[in-house]
Amino acid sequence: MSENKLPSHARVVIVGGGVMGVGLAYHLAHEGWSDVVLLEKGELTSGSTWHAAGQITHSTSSFGLGKCVDYNIGLYSGALEAETGQAVTWHGCGSFRLAYTEDEMDWLRHTLSVGRSLGFNIELVGPEKVAELHPFYNLDGVLGALHTPDDGHVDPTNVTMAMAAGARALGVKIIRRCRATNITQANSGEWMVESEQGTITCEHVVNAGGTYARQMGEWSGLQLPMTSMTHHYFVTDPVPEFAGLDKELPVIRDDKKVSGYIRMEQKRGLIGIYEKANPNAVWLDECPWDYENWLFDADYDRVMPWLEESLNRMPIFAELGISRDVHGAISHPPDGNPLIGPAPGVRNYWCCCGTQIGIGWGPGLTRELARWMVHGSADISIREYDPRRFGNYANKDWQVTKAKEDYCLRHEIPFPHFNRLAGRPIKPSPLYERLKDKGAVYEEVFGHERPRWFARDGVEQRDHYSFKRNDVHNIVASECKAVREAVGIMDISAFTKVEVAGPDAEALLDRLTANRLPQKVGGIALTHMLNRRGRIELETTVVKLDKGRYYLVCAAFFEQRLLDHLEQQRDGENAEIILRSNDWAALSLNGPAARDVLAACTDADLTNAGFKWLTAQEIEVAGHKIWAFRMSYAGELGWELHIPRDSTLAVYDALWATGEAHGITDYGSFAMNALRMEKGFKGAGELTNEVTLAEADVLRFARQNKDYLGKDKTLNTDLPWVCAYLEIEPDGVEDGHGGEAVMLNGQVVGSTASVAYGHTVGKILAFAYIKPHANQPGTEVEVIIAGNPRKGRILGEPAYDPQSLLPRTDATKAAAE
């Protein structure tokens, strides 16, 4: 069959022929799926890909993205051309990222630590090293730079065409000049892709539409959040000083002064700018279908302050003209991360879009998507890219607001816990105003507003950003102290809450959960749901509310993932899946005085005999019926209280009124994280789609005497890595942020997943995925924090209350304490 003739069926149809769509076709074929058809309305690369500047750098503090970037550079610098025989035009000139402030230096130090864990060729250097390799850059004010010698840039069209050649050689059909016009799902579950050449039916459809992706999603009733933003780069006239160079100058990333990048383009200069004012969104309703190789007129007024500063930084450009301006549109999702994975609420519709840096990120991410499609799971944590991380709150107006915010942040310091404030609040809890008035500093999780910490003791009610400890450190310490010594209350309404009810509810859940379901009404079990590869989909608490009625609670960002998993793994079971997140709120009450505070508001028997550990009861608090779960993520005597939304404020006020005599304190997610780390409780940073239960060291929550999805794979004991729990020597300045290298005898053996200071125990605590031989309690290791080694030690038990006696405290002990 001619490649340009549309077949009637295919296993996979990819719509979009830029670097993302072609990259996915290439990697699907390499993973064993060659019955793939790619449709492109124009010529390959004729959307956003062709006008990309094509840079790529190891300078990233994202561990997962770092793996992708390293793969991409290897692909561009030789592997792809060797495989396909197609020229790729790789410029391996290296790059520098400059720092003018101590905050920027801290960012570079952290990036260096992550790079060490990934084995990158990366170093922190002074201005003299930059001047040695790039003598034309004005380094006034520069304190240092991150040098990544293996970086470079590549011709975007050549890369895409080479991957297309590789895909074709393995059997993929690429059909150009064939515009898709509709995508719908048949009753059989198959997808029908209508096009200018007819209709093709497929098992899997992929939206790789670039700037068309959002409107393509609407064909299928999907809301895929992204907005097209325009970006400039400029090419100068020939630079006389470049004429005699025998080696290409490194790319300079100057985030502070230029808000962009400067490099050579043959013997010319290239200046790319992400302006910090008046970001430009286009095609808010739809991108015109007849646009091909489209560019906008340059808007010099909008970028002039940064363009002028770029000429100050590169004085040899100052008297030259601009020979070419490139002002093209690029997709920006609300948080800047691409949409890679399943679309929400449907089966076998995959997103491969929303990528603002397609050349830098694309091949690695498409390799992971191919693995996900073929094998059931990606090999890096995909949480940051999963399209289901957004809910139906992400409407068009909100998308535009967030995309503009993201554009302006493109060359800002990515501080730990950076809080994106535009377009909020969008899903406030019933306690939002009350807690805000009490000093709550909020974060957004799946649209919900959740308190991070509470301003007190003269600390201003706003985010305080730093890679080092700051004023918030002591605030969090006081919140932890209150929970450990008195009683703390936290608004945990953001948690996902789903009810599964019906004659077959137990059968459905039993087949999808590794742990034994609670057998008695009021029983509670912590369990994990896996995919067919045996990797962790999510962790959830399951409460048996009644016969055939279960209540599931998990992290907010897993809401759609949980709903999809339950629905798509259903095998004819008669069970209703009901979202309760919007109807119910929740509070966490923890601490030695928790029983006393709750007892003053209810007639329920809260003693160990009357309300056992890990059980649930429907009780009345201040006259309102609620569900109380005796459990504690803080590792203290405590309850989770799940409350009808309209009753939440009254219940909170009643608990606060009785708690004042006991020193009750509001606490937030920062304290919650520190408390769970002290208890050695694993969280979302550890329980990812990368790992099995054995690798995550949570097999104690799995049962051998039952069958469940992924069981055969998750019990494999030939482990490439395992989740270790360790303490790290504090220096009183910086505690680490995740992704740092863990070293044993001078060799990298893994990297941290989560790091937090344990205020109760006075130690930095971390979870890290390391080689199994290094995971022996008492083993001395080194952890690279802020670019420097720190002493660490593998722990064999939780740093706080290792026997977990405190959550089970009886009434007598509570009164004595």
Side-chain angles (χ1 to χ4, degrees):
M1 179 184 292
S2 167
E3 185 175 68
N4 287 324
K5 181 174 175 58
L6 187 74
S8 60
H9 291 80
R11 187 173 204 167
V12 183
V13 173
I14 302 169
V15 182
V19 68
M20 298 301 292
V22 173
L24 179 61
Y26 171 84
H27 287 102
L28 281 172
H30 276 275
E31 294 297 328
W33 282 11
S34 58
D35 184 13
V36 177
V37 173
L38 183 147
L39 305 181
E40 165 54 44
K41 74 178 185 67
E43 295 293 337
L44 298 184
T45 78
S46 61
S48 297
T49 299
W50 76 276
H51 63 69
Q55 280 103 219
I56 183 169
T57 178
H58 282 103
S59 175
T60 174
S61 49
S62 166
F63 186 82
L65 192 58
K67 287 184 175 181
C68 293
V69 166
D70 193 51
Y71 167 75
N72 296 347
I73 288 176
L75 195 69
Y76 298 160
S77 61
L80 185 58
E81 188 167 331
E83 175 192 347
T84 65
Q86 300 287 310
V88 172
T89 322
W90 168 249
H91 297 260
C93 56
S95 69
F96 290 103
R97 187 180 294 277
L98 306 184
Y100 293 84
T101 68
E102 277 303 316
D103 281 337
E104 288 178 301
M105 288 295 294
D106 288 340
W107 170 24
L108 301 190
R109 292 180 186 111
H110 176 61
T111 304
L112 175 66
S113 300
V114 175
R116 288 275 189 264
S117 71
L118 290 164
F120 292 170
N121 182 13
I122 186 170
E123 62 178 341
L124 194 60
V125 301
E128 63 282 353
K129 180 68 172 182
V130 184
E132 175 189 337
L133 297 180
H134 199 305
F136 304 111
Y137 206 83
N138 173 4
L139 297 171
D140 288 351
V142 172
L143 299 180
L146 199 65
H147 185 208
T148 40
D150 296 335
D151 292 357
H153 58 97
V154 71
D155 183 285
T157 298
N158 285 2
V159 162
T160 308
M161 294 304 181
M163 287 194 293
R168 288 188 184 102
L170 294 172
V172 172
K173 295 180 177 64
I174 297 177
I175 303 177
R176 298 169 294 118
R177 299 291 172 187
C178 180
R179 179 166 75 86
T181 57
N182 201 11
I183 300 173
T184 55
Q185 192 168 29
N187 292 335
S188 65
E190 291 181 303
W191 290 94
M192 296 178 294
V193 182
E194 299 171 38
S195 79
E196 294 171 329
Q197 291 189 23
T199 298
I200 180 170
T201 303
C202 56
E203 180 184 353
H204 299 266
V205 68
V206 181
N207 183 337
T211 56
Y212 297 93
R214 179 180 52 75
Q215 64 209 61
M216 285 169 51
E218 291 172 357
W219 294 341
S220 310
L222 298 172
Q223 179 178 273
L224 304 180
M226 66 195 87
T227 302
S228 294
M229 306 292 300
T230 65
H231 164 59
H232 289 83
Y233 67 81
F234 303 91
V235 179
T236 72
D237 290 338
V239 183
E241 290 81 357
F242 290 172
L245 294 180
D246 57 4
K247 185 177 181 181
E248 187 171 344
L249 298 170
V251 177
I252 297 286
R253 289 177 172 81
D254 191 329
D255 302 289
K256 187 173 185 63
K257 300 293 186 180
V258 177
S259 190
Y261 49 87
I262 295 177
R263 68 165 170 87
M264 290 178 65
E265 175 70 6
Q266 302 299 326
K267 297 301 181 180
R268 301 170 185 266
L270 187 149
I271 304 164
I273 293 170
Y274 285 84
E275 64 276 12
K276 300 298 184 189
N278 303 313
N280 184 45
V282 295
W283 304 327
L284 302 187
D285 292 320
E286 69 170 32
C287 178
W289 290 107
D290 59 346
Y291 281 13
E292 188 174 348
N293 298 102
W294 183 264
L295 291 176
F296 297 87
D297 292 337
D299 186 348
Y300 283 97
D301 289 341
R302 203 171 83 235
V303 300
M304 189 54 68
W306 297 273
L307 183 58
E308 287 179 344
E309 184 57 35
S310 72
L311 302 182
N312 291 335
R313 290 289 137 182
M314 280 291 285
I316 59 174
F317 292 174
E319 302 303 320
L320 301 176
I322 300 295
S323 66
R324 182 178 177 221
D325 57 76
V326 176
H327 185 201
I330 305 171
S331 292
H332 279 253
D335 60 2
N337 289 325
L339 306 182
I340 305 294
V346 292
R347 186 196 299 269
N348 292 344
Y349 185 115
W350 301 87
C351 298
C352 186
C353 50
T355 311
Q356 57 169 285
I357 308 177
I359 302 302
W361 300 349
L365 288 175
T366 58
R367 179 180 66 166
E368 295 306 318
L369 180 55
R371 289 170 171 170
W372 197 348
M373 293 173 67
V374 174
H375 306 298
S377 178
D379 284 347
I380 67 167
S381 174
I382 216 73
R383 171 186 161 188
E384 294 176 322
Y385 316 115
D386 192 326
R388 298 168 296 181
R389 68 189 185 272
F390 301 108
N392 58 13
Y393 59 88
N395 58 41
K396 279 188 180 179
D397 289 343
W398 186 82
Q399 290 174 34
V400 173
T401 297
K402 299 300 286 185
K404 289 182 176 181
E405 177 188 50
D406 177 69
Y407 184 92
C408 291
L409 294 173
R410 181 69 188 86
H411 279 268
E412 289 293 313
I413 301 172
F415 283 110
H417 311 293
F418 189 84
N419 211 355
R420 295 177 178 232
L421 301 176
R424 292 172 49 192
I426 195 163
K427 290 170 66 175
S429 89
L431 300 176
Y432 178 78
E433 292 296 340
R434 178 64 51 84
L435 299 183
K436 184 179 178 182
D437 289 344
K438 295 176 74 174
V441 174
Y442 282 97
E443 63 190 354
E444 179 265 322
V445 284
F446 199 67
H448 297 278
E449 296 291 332
R450 181 174 67 184
R452 284 182 159 177
W453 56 278
F454 286 78
R456 50 175 69 92
D457 301 329
V459 177
E460 191 174 350
Q461 186 181 1
R462 61 173 179 81
D463 286 293
H464 296 250
Y465 294 129
S466 177
F467 284 85
K468 298 184 173 74
R469 292 184 186 178
N470 55 32
D471 290 343
V472 178
H473 180 82
N474 291 331
I475 294 287
V476 174
S478 68
E479 292 180 8
C480 292
K481 181 179 174 67
V483 173
R484 293 282 185 239
E485 298 180 3
V487 61
I489 188 168
M490 180 179 172
D491 181 1
I492 56 170
S493 299
F495 277 148
T496 291
K497 298 171 281 290
V498 171
E499 185 177 331
V500 181
D504 298 330
E506 181 177 357
L508 173 62
L509 291 175
D510 192 55
R511 192 165 51 78
L512 298 182
T513 54
N515 203 351
R516 185 171 182 257
L517 289 176
Q519 299 301 296
K520 296 180 179 180
V521 172
I524 298 175
L526 181 68
T527 188
H528 303 85
M529 293 185 177
L530 313 179
N531 53 48
R532 56 188 167 90
R533 205 173 177 185
R535 308 281 186 84
I536 297 172
E537 281 290 304
L538 55 93
E539 179 186 62
T540 182
T541 299
V542 181
V543 182
K544 187 169 184 177
L545 301 181
D546 204 343
K547 182 179 179 180
R549 185 177 171 219
Y550 295 86
Y551 186 77
L552 280 62
V553 182
C554 67
F557 47 79
F558 285 138
E559 180 169 294
Q560 190 62 49
R561 193 168 186 159
L562 173 60
L563 293 171
D564 286 353
H565 192 66
L566 291 170
E567 188 61 51
Q568 293 175 17
Q569 296 300 330
R570 190 202 295 264
D571 188 18
E573 288 97 347
N574 181 5
E576 188 178 4
I577 300 165
I578 311 160
L579 180 63
R580 297 296 190 196
S581 299
N582 299 324
D583 305 325
W584 286 69
L587 295 170
S588 182
L589 188 72
N590 285 287
R595 179 181 278 118
D596 297 329
V597 172
L598 185 56
C601 300
T602 183
D603 293 332
D605 181 358
L606 302 181
T607 65
N608 275 1
F611 205 137
K612 295 181 180 179
W613 169 246
L614 288 183
T615 65
Q617 295 183 27
E618 189 175 31
I619 67 174
E620 282 196 11
V621 173
H624 296 266
K625 283 190 175 182
I626 71 168
W627 275 97
F629 307 157
R630 189 171 169 198
M631 55 189 292
S632 172
Y633 198 45
E636 295 290 343
L637 176 66
W639 281 262
E640 280 189 13
L641 308 175
H642 289 247
I643 311 164
R645 186 176 180 88
D646 292 344
S647 299
T648 309
L649 188 57
V651 170
Y652 172 86
D653 286 344
L655 293 170
W656 186 267
T658 61
E660 286 190 290
H662 301 277
I664 193 169
T665 299
D666 292 298
Y667 72 102
S669 64
F670 283 8
M672 178 178 68
N673 187 55
L675 295 168
R676 70 100 181 176
M677 292 292 291
E678 292 180 338
K679 281 296 299 169
F681 292 156
K682 296 179 177 71
E686 295 73 54
L687 305 175
T688 76
N689 61 271
E690 298 167 279
V691 297
T692 64
L693 297 179
E695 291 166 342
D697 191 25
V698 290
L699 268 179
R700 63 188 180 279
F701 296 108
R703 293 293 173 262
Q704 297 278 1
N705 60 350
K706 61 172 283 192
D707 290 326
Y708 52 89
L709 179 64
K711 178 181 179 179
D712 57 331
K713 301 293 195 304
T714 205
L715 298 181
N716 178 23
T717 55
D718 182 18
L719 307 180
W721 54 10
V722 68
C723 190
Y725 181 57
L726 60 155
E727 64 180 26
I728 305 169
E729 180 182 49
D731 69 351
V733 178
E734 187 163 352
D735 298 328
H737 308 287
E740 292 91 355
V742 179
M743 305 186 73
L744 177 65
N745 299 325
Q747 299 296 315
V748 175
V749 292
S751 64
T752 61
S754 297
V755 185
Y757 185 75
H759 296 273
T760 313
V761 299
K763 300 173 180 177
I764 302 172
L765 300 168
F767 285 111
Y769 275 94
I770 63 176
K771 295 180 179 179
H773 75 267
N775 187 32
Q776 301 298 321
T779 298
E780 302 288 335
V781 295
E782 287 187 328
V783 182
I784 308 300
I785 295 179
N788 296 310
R790 301 268 195 92
K791 292 181 180 178
R793 184 170 67 91
I794 305 298
L795 300 176
E797 60 184 16
Y800 178 80
D801 186 24
Q803 302 304 314
S804 290
L805 300 177
L806 294 175
R808 299 171 173 82
T809 302
D810 63 28
T812 304
K813 184 174 180 181
E817 291 179 344

